[in-house]
Structures are given as C-alpha cells and as structure tokens.
Amino acid sequence: AKDAYVVALLANALTAGDLAGGSEISSTTQAVLDQLAGLAQQDGRNYFWPSGVATFTGAQGNTGSIETTALAAYVFLRADVYSEQANGALTYLVGQKDTFGTWYSTQATVLTLKALLQSVRAGGDTSNASVTLRLNGSQERTLQVTPENFDVVQMVSFEDVNVGGENVVEIEASGSGKLMYQVTSAYTLPWERLAEYPELVAAQDLVSIDVAYDRTELAVDDTVEVSVQVKLNQPGASAEQAMIDLGLPPGFSLLSEDLDALVTRYNDTLPDDPQPKIQRYEQTGRQVLVYITNLSADRPLQFSYRLRARFPLRAQAPASSAYDYYDPDVQGEQAPQVLVVNER
C-alpha cells in the first residue's frame, strides 16, 4: 500500500485487532503506523494526509483529504502514538469545518467527529465550563458545557452586524475543560456582481447546469414545465453521487408525481446500467434536492418536471446548482430567473 488513505485504513484495522485482543500494539501494526506518519504533510502546526485515490464513498480532492486525515488522527489517538501529528491533524480538521458546522459530506463529518471525540474521551466528560459570547460589545449569550453535553455542538447566531464594517466577536470561558470553537459569517452577493469575483466564477466551470422554463409569464393555476440538464465538463470525469439543488420559485407548488415517476423509472433499471440515475429527491421550502448516481462527462443527465402557479406575483426563482456530493469543489451554478404570474 502506497496511498495515505489505504495505509490509514490498514492502520485502523490492525490497531483495532490488537486492542480488541487486549494486547499491545504489535510490531507489524507499528510498522504501518510509522509508514502512515511518514506520509503526513505539514503546514505550520497542521498535519494532513492528501490522498490520490477515491475513498470508498467516492470522495476525492479536499473532502478525500479530510477523510484520510481524520482516519490518521483517530488511529494515532487510539494507539497512543505520534501525538504531535495527531494534535496537528485535529487542528487541521477543525480549520476545515464548513459554514454549517460539518465537513462537506456525511462520511467526512462522521470520521472527523470520531477523531475529535477520541481526543476528548480521556477527559472531556469532566468538562464543566460557562462560555459567554458577545458581538460588538453587546448581544451577550451564555452557554453551559457540562459532562452531559460536552460532545454536542452548540451554535449561536448573531444577526445585527455592522454591514461593510468591522465586527468583533468576544469569547470568554470560565471553569474546566478543553473547548474548541469556530466563527463563521454568511452574506448575500447580488448575482449581477458575480463577475467581480473571478475566483467564484472559475469554481463553477467544472459542472454545467441548465434549467429552462418553457415560459416565464403565465396565469394562476397554470403549469410550467422545467427542463434540467447537468453535465460534467472535465474529460473522463465522473461522480458516483451528485446533488442537484433546484431553486423553487415562491408562489409555486411542485407537481411531485413527475419526479416520483423518474425515481421509479431509474430504480427499475439494471444495477450495471451505466446511465445516470435519479435515486431520490427532497423538497424544502425554497428548493428541490435531487440525488443522482453515475453522473459522468460522457453521459449527461436530462429530465423535466412541472410547477403550478398558485398566486399572482412577479417572483425570482432561487439559483440552481449541481455538484459532486463527495467533492463539492466540482460544482456549477445557474443564475436566478424571473417569473410573472397574472390574475386569471
């Protein structure tokens, strides 16, 4: 085994076997742990393990590196070896957290949380602290960290910020325990200003998504057909799991039978059918999330569904996007579209 992800899997399997048998780490296991430590890359205090292969969930790129680093941190903590690399890996993982408090994909989040919980298991259940947060000297909030909730992520939101100016977040803690925190911000960027940020535009070149309404002006109770096409742009690219986020215009209802029929049709195909498939979908207040398998550059996905206009209004549909679920940097987005609904 040469790749860090494969070596990390081997190290975890061998370490689990040694510990389950009640014995110390064997020389064979130690050799694999040594090999894994030698594959680490260092950036200041951070240690991380990039991988050149897809993980078993299909993760690549940054998400694959998060999975691999979490596996390395977890096994070093369990085996009680390479504490510097383990702590550096935890620092790296905390810095990779996304704005939702997770790590982009389910598997990366699960493995990271396992590593973080392993790091606090030796003393985290004795945590007893009070944490006070303030924004710009006011809006004070207080959290309690106890042995009952030390392993739970607690989130606080501040909305009254100084737009375009400096915002200061103060955090004060008293009591005992090792605590970690993250501060994130969210903002809305008008679509017409997107061209001012070429780094955001460049990130969308890997996937093309085209969402077209068969008409943009209609009357109450009319239906509009929405055609969707998603394509990976890199030659030879593939995504075992992909997500399509379709903006749902306000004042419209989804005719779910269209997507239900697509799910049934694609699930009735043979398992080895290479065509992309719609596995399932979910509807939220402002979007329809469509889960896709087997998307590739050679085989784009095309489908359509219908919406019904419920109220007279002029509305802008939220932007639609598509991305590789296990490598979210591979993504594309389409601008919002305006729809006009008249009285009948």
Side-chain angles (χ1 to χ4, degrees):
K2 303 295 182 184
D3 187 85
Y5 176 71
V6 182
V7 176
L9 290 177
L10 289 171
N12 273 275
L14 292 171
T15 298
D18 289 348
L19 297 180
S23 61
E24 297 181 353
I25 299 298
S26 67
S27 59
T28 300
T29 303
Q30 185 62 53
V32 178
L33 291 168
D34 295 341
Q35 181 185 2
L36 181 61
L39 293 172
Q41 294 190 17
Q42 188 174 2
D43 180 15
R45 294 185 305 163
N46 294 344
Y47 283 87
F48 62 98
W49 281 258
S51 172
V53 302
T55 69
F56 88 95
T57 58
Q60 301 182 64
N62 185 54
T63 312
S65 295
I66 291 174
E67 285 192 31
T68 305
T69 301
L71 286 168
Y74 182 70
V75 74
F76 288 158
L77 291 166
R78 290 198 70 194
D80 195 20
V81 296
Y82 292 107
S83 59
E84 179 183 347
Q85 284 85 344
N87 289 329
L90 294 174
T91 303
Y92 168 84
L93 291 170
V94 170
Q96 295 300 309
K97 188 186 296 185
D98 62 27
T99 57
F100 300 103
T102 61
W103 283 264
Y104 302 101
S105 71
T106 304
Q107 186 67 11
T109 299
V110 168
L111 292 177
T112 298
L113 291 177
K114 283 173 66 73
L116 292 171
L117 288 174
Q118 185 67 28
S119 73
V120 301
R121 190 163 285 133
D125 55 359
T126 62
S127 297
N128 194 354
S130 177
V131 182
T132 300
L133 305 97
R134 301 183 191 88
L135 175 67
N136 299 326
S138 61
Q139 299 189 59
E140 185 172 299
R141 315 283 176 83
T142 300
L143 304 175
Q144 301 296 328
V145 181
T146 67
E148 288 73 31
N149 70 1
F150 79 95
D151 56 352
V152 176
V153 176
Q154 300 191 54
M155 300 182 67
V156 172
S157 296
F158 293 106
E159 297 180 351
D160 188 15
V161 301
N162 294 326
V163 179
E166 184 180 74
N167 291 277
V168 178
V169 177
E170 299 174 75
I171 303 176
E172 294 180 0
S174 60
S176 61
K178 294 183 178 180
L179 310 179
M180 294 177 288
Y181 69 89
Q182 178 189 31
V183 179
T184 66
S185 62
Y187 61 92
T188 299
L189 178 68
W191 192 268
E192 59 271 15
R193 294 188 58 188
L194 183 62
E196 300 174 24
Y197 301 87
E199 68 279 6
L200 299 180
V201 177
Q204 299 176 23
D205 290 341
L206 301 178
V207 180
S208 296
I209 176 170
D210 181 32
V211 179
Y213 295 83
D214 67 353
R215 50 181 169 162
T216 56
E217 186 167 350
L218 58 161
V220 174
D221 289 332
D222 282 351
T223 60
V224 57
E225 183 172 344
V226 187
S227 299
V228 181
Q229 177 172 309
V230 176
K231 180 181 179 182
L232 298 177
N233 293 329
Q234 288 182 303
S238 63
E240 294 183 22
Q241 297 279 342
M243 180 79 77
I244 303 176
D245 184 340
L246 299 169
L248 186 60
F252 283 76
S253 59
L254 172 70
L255 300 183
S256 58
E257 58 264 30
D258 295 338
L259 292 176
D260 288 338
L262 288 170
V263 171
T264 300
R265 187 179 82 189
Y266 283 109
N267 286 340
D268 284 344
T269 59
L270 295 174
D272 58 352
D273 187 341
Q275 298 299 321
K277 302 176 183 179
I278 297 178
Q279 197 172 44
R280 60 189 178 94
Y281 72 94
E282 298 173 1
Q283 181 182 351
T284 69
R286 298 190 62 197
Q287 62 193 159
V288 179
L289 300 174
V290 183
Y291 295 79
I292 307 300
T293 60
N294 294 341
L295 187 64
S296 68
D298 297 332
R299 288 178 286 272
L301 176 68
Q302 293 179 299
F303 63 94
S304 63
Y305 61 97
R306 291 172 298 155
L307 301 172
R308 186 183 303 281
R310 299 164 54 203
F311 311 110
L313 48 72
R314 178 184 175 89
Q316 179 172 274
S320 295
S321 63
Y323 57 92
D324 185 335
Y325 184 78
Y326 288 105
D327 190 3
D329 290 335
V330 178
Q331 54 99 15
E333 193 169 20
Q334 185 182 52
Q337 301 184 54
V338 175
L339 299 172
V340 178
V341 181
N342 301 309
E343 292 273 10
R344 179 167 289 280

